[in-house]
Amino acid sequence: MGTYTGLRCKVIVKENYRQLIDYITNVGDWSDIIGIPFVEEFAKLNRSVFIPHGVLEYMPDSWEESTDFSNDFNNESGLWVFQCSLKNYDNEIEQFFKLVLENIVDRIIHLETFHEEDMYSKRWDFIEGKICCVDHQFINYKEE
């Protein structure tokens, strides 16, 4: 069966990558993209298609009930919002951070992961151009 890790993302995408994210959000997946090496590398990962389109499995009820993270992209502002979950056995989420987000994002508004067996989620942010965990006990979801 396996365990799931959830990802909640609210970021501002750099202007030169907005067409890419509009496509990923509304039309296709990472494997459709040719000519952007970091995207091609990410697309090779087994579960890359689940970001941002994976359904929520074994995530807190508040994730299911929230509309704050509905899958959406605003091409004008660059605001990209989504939540998903996947089996993160090969660190697909961390690879997404390193290969994709670190290249395409101007600013992180909210970046959170939650493993279904954990008590707390983790909060991530930019530190010197890298996405790093800045809070290992961000939100306690086991009290829901």
Side-chain angles (χ1 to χ4, degrees):
M1 184 101 162
T3 59
Y4 285 82
T5 301
L7 169 61
R8 291 182 127 184
C9 184
K10 206 177 269 192
V11 297
I12 302 296
V13 175
K14 295 176 184 175
E15 193 167 334
N16 54 324
Y17 291 110
R18 291 179 183 176
Q19 186 175 0
L20 164 71
I21 299 307
D22 186 53
Y23 179 84
I24 295 299
T25 302
N26 297 304
V27 180
D29 63 54
W30 304 105
S31 63
D32 298 335
I33 307 302
I34 297 170
I36 304 175
F38 63 84
V39 172
E40 290 176 351
E41 187 174 343
F42 179 67
K44 292 177 189 174
L45 297 175
N46 211 15
R47 294 177 188 86
S48 66
V49 296
F50 291 102
I51 300 173
H53 301 294
V55 297
L56 293 178
E57 297 285 344
Y58 305 104
M59 291 296 107
D61 290 342
S62 62
W63 285 40
E64 295 278 351
E65 297 161 0
S66 173
T67 58
D68 292 343
F69 289 92
S70 298
N71 194 3
D72 189 39
F73 178 67
N74 182 309
N75 205 7
E76 188 174 310
S77 68
L79 179 63
W80 186 25
V81 179
F82 67 88
Q83 63 182 4
C84 61
S85 65
L86 59 142
K87 295 176 183 177
N88 194 39
Y89 299 148
D90 296 321
N91 296 314
E92 290 86 356
I93 292 173
E94 291 79 1
Q95 290 298 313
F96 172 71
F97 291 172
K98 179 181 177 184
L99 294 171
V100 178
L101 286 188
E102 286 181 4
N103 284 294
I104 69 163
V105 169
D106 257 340
R107 184 168 53 98
I108 292 173
I109 298 167
H110 184 106
L111 191 58
E112 175 185 9
T113 57
F114 179 70
H115 187 272
E116 69 172 279
E117 294 179 341
D118 289 346
M119 181 175 289
Y120 294 93
S121 67
K122 295 178 181 176
R123 185 172 65 91
W124 303 77
D125 208 344
F126 270 128
I127 298 177
E128 298 179 6
K130 302 288 182 197
I131 295 177
C132 302
C133 183
V134 294
D135 189 347
H136 290 274
Q137 295 184 343
F138 183 45
I139 297 173
N140 183 346
Y141 286 110
K142 294 300 179 182
E143 292 185 355
E144 284 192 2

